[in-house]
């Protein structure tokens, strides 16, 4: 793997992983290209850590709503050090370690990013550990506190509790004083118990009965990443005033039909439930909701909210409240192997798979 190298006139040479189309993980391409010097409002970030998210698995199948046209560089988030800034950006940012939510572009040794999107890391945090908390921690925190408003003494159900989002969500829920039930493969149950979670086999045909045995009146909140039939079951497991938060349609990952044919029925189902004469609530969480157009007031409010919430989550990591869940580490050049592991049913370690440029 070649490090970021200086070239003429302030440009930089970077190595990137390119997703050329709907390909197997082995179809990823490693390329080198010259990045121009940052222009007004931009920062050049030397990437120290990025990772594999569910989004990349969906994007390589063309199954992520709103993904760019092929080819592109995947990578939903990153941690790195600012190498240079363009006009109008505070030069004090140079040399600072930052996090960024990118959606694409993170699988690289360097990236040109809007400086306004960068969130400075608290001192003393390991880049790989911080990387586990950008999209996953932000998602978990906002779902728990902004969507479901979970309080001390409540009981929540987390599907996929050993996954990247789930493993952070259960910790944040426990920190909030909630009792947590988590579905996962039995090989992850011991690790979940260590986090204070009551685990249930996600394939158990009596899953609903097992949840009701732990929460006879129903749970206060369910966080569902599967969609499809799972969402219907999750809604039925709520108590009279419970909240369902759906945040993915992982169950439809391998479908071949257009993604909207899975997504729109889910939104319709959630809307229908909200119109029923009950005190239950259901919603879909989208980390980009309210982002608005570039340079709009909405975008500035979105950035402020993202910065505040992500900084809070990173401070919890710094203070030892959160334990980062790292399933494996791979060099950036081995992104294909990392993606294969992320999609494998044989994974034995919960958490996020890190790519290290």
């Amino acid at each position: 793997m070649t490090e970021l190298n200086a070239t003429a006139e302030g440009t930089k040479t970077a190595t990137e992983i390119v997703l050329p189309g709907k390909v197997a993980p082995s179809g990823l391409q490693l390329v080198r290209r010259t990045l121009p010097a940052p222009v007004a409002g931009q920062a050049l970030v030397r990437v120290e850590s990025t990772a594999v998210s569910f989004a990349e698995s969906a994007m390589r199948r063309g199954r992520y709503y709103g993904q760019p046209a092929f080819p592109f560089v995947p990578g939903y988030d990153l941690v790195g050090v600012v190498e240079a800034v363009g006009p109008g950006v505070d030069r004090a940012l140079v040399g600072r370690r930052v996090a960024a939510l990118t959606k694409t572009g993170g699988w690289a040794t360097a990236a040109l990013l809007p400086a306004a999107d960068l969130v400075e890391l608290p001192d003393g945090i390991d880049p790989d550990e911080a990387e586990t908390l950008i999209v996953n921690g932000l998602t978990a925190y906002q779902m728990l506190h902004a969507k479901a408003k979970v309080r001390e003494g409540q009981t929540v159900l987390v599907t996929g509790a050993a996954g990247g989002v789930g493993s952070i969500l259960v910790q944040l829920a426990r920190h909030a004083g909630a009792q947590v039930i988590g579905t996962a493969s039995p090989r992850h149950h011991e690790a979940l118990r260590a986090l204070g979670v009551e685990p249930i086999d996600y394939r158990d045909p009596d899953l609903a009965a097992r949840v009701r045995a732990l929460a006879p009146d129903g749970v206060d909140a369910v966080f569902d990443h599967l969609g499809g039939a799972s969402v219907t079951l999750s809604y039925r497991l709520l108590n009279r005033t419970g909240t369902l938060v759906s945040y993915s349609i992982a169950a439809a990952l391998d479908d071949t039909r257009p993604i909207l044919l899975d997504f729109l029925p889910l939104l319709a189902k959630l809307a229908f439930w909200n119109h029923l004469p009950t005190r239950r609530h259901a919603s879909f969480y989208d980390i980009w909701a309210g982002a608005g157009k570039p340079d709009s007031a909405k975008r500035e409010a979105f950035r402020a909210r993202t910065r505040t919430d992500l900084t809070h989550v990173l401070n919890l990591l710094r203070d030892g409240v959160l334990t980062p869940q790292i399933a494996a580490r791979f060099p950036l050049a081995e992104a294909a192997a990392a993606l294969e592991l992320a999609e494998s049913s044989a994974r034995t370690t919960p958490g996020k798979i890190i790519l290290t440029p």
Side-chain angles (χ1 to χ4, degrees):
M1 195 69 186
T2 303
E3 296 291 334
L4 179 68
N5 296 315
T7 57
E9 299 179 0
T11 61
K12 299 283 183 178
T13 299
T15 301
E16 300 175 327
I17 303 297
V18 173
L19 183 58
K22 296 180 183 180
V23 297
S26 60
L28 293 172
Q29 299 173 350
L30 190 149
V31 302
R32 288 172 61 85
R33 74 179 179 102
T34 299
L35 299 179
V39 298
Q42 283 187 328
L44 176 69
V45 177
R46 173 173 53 84
V47 181
E48 295 181 301
S49 184
T50 181
V52 181
S53 302
F54 171 79
E56 285 81 47
S57 294
M59 287 180 185
R60 78 166 184 83
R61 295 168 168 88
R63 302 283 299 163
Y64 191 88
Y65 185 71
Q67 71 184 74
F70 297 113
F72 62 88
V73 177
Y76 215 90
D77 52 19
L78 61 83
V79 172
V81 174
V82 177
E83 293 267 301
V85 296
V89 179
D90 186 355
R91 292 195 56 79
L93 194 61
V94 175
R96 302 284 182 88
R97 178 169 285 132
V98 296
L101 185 67
T102 56
K103 187 180 284 188
T104 59
W107 289 7
T109 57
L112 282 168
L113 302 171
D117 290 342
L118 305 179
V119 178
E120 291 189 41
L121 264 63
D123 292 337
I125 294 182
D126 176 80
D128 289 352
E129 294 184 353
E131 166 59 31
T132 68
L133 294 177
I134 304 174
V135 63
N136 291 348
L138 192 61
T139 295
Y141 182 82
Q142 292 182 344
M143 288 195 304
L144 189 77
H145 294 290
K147 284 286 189 180
K149 297 180 173 60
V150 170
R151 304 184 305 277
E152 184 176 3
Q154 292 188 326
T155 299
V156 304
L157 172 63
V158 178
T159 69
V165 173
S167 60
I168 302 302
L169 182 54
V170 298
Q171 294 184 69
L172 289 171
R174 292 291 294 143
H175 180 60
Q179 300 300 309
V180 181
I181 304 167
T183 69
S185 172
R187 64 180 177 272
H188 297 308
H189 286 189
E190 183 178 350
L192 289 174
R193 289 190 184 98
L195 294 175
V197 177
E198 183 65 43
I200 297 176
D201 187 347
Y202 75 97
R203 295 166 298 188
D204 192 326
D206 295 322
L207 188 150
R210 296 191 182 281
V211 172
R212 291 189 179 104
L214 296 167
D217 297 326
V219 296
D220 295 283
V222 183
F223 302 92
D224 189 295
H225 75 302
L226 289 169
S230 176
V231 169
T232 300
L233 175 59
S234 293
Y235 185 78
R236 291 172 178 169
L237 290 172
L238 293 173
N239 61 26
R240 291 184 299 173
T241 59
T243 298
L244 165 64
V245 183
S246 172
Y247 66 99
S248 184
I249 50 175
L253 183 61
D254 290 321
D255 285 357
T256 56
R257 60 183 184 171
I259 188 65
L260 281 177
L261 295 182
D262 292 299
F263 188 59
L264 292 179
L266 170 62
L267 295 182
K269 186 181 293 186
L270 299 175
F272 171 74
W273 285 334
N274 284 334
H275 281 86
L276 293 176
T278 72
R279 296 174 64 193
R280 294 176 176 177
H281 182 70
S283 65
F284 187 85
Y285 171 83
D286 175 9
I287 197 169
W288 299 100
K293 296 180 180 180
D295 302 320
S296 67
K298 274 191 172 183
R299 179 61 60 89
E300 291 308 310
F302 172 81
R303 283 170 167 158
R305 182 170 64 252
T306 298
R307 184 175 295 106
T308 297
D309 291 347
L310 182 55
T311 298
H312 180 76
V313 171
L314 291 169
N315 284 339
L316 291 177
L317 172 64
R318 178 200 60 193
D319 297 341
V321 173
L322 295 177
T323 300
Q325 304 291 299
I326 297 177
R329 290 179 174 88
F330 287 82
L332 180 67
E334 297 178 18
L339 189 54
E340 287 175 351
L341 178 61
E343 297 178 9
S344 171
S345 61
R347 283 182 63 180
T348 58
T349 307
K352 198 158 189 181
I353 296 173
I354 298 294
L355 295 173
T356 55

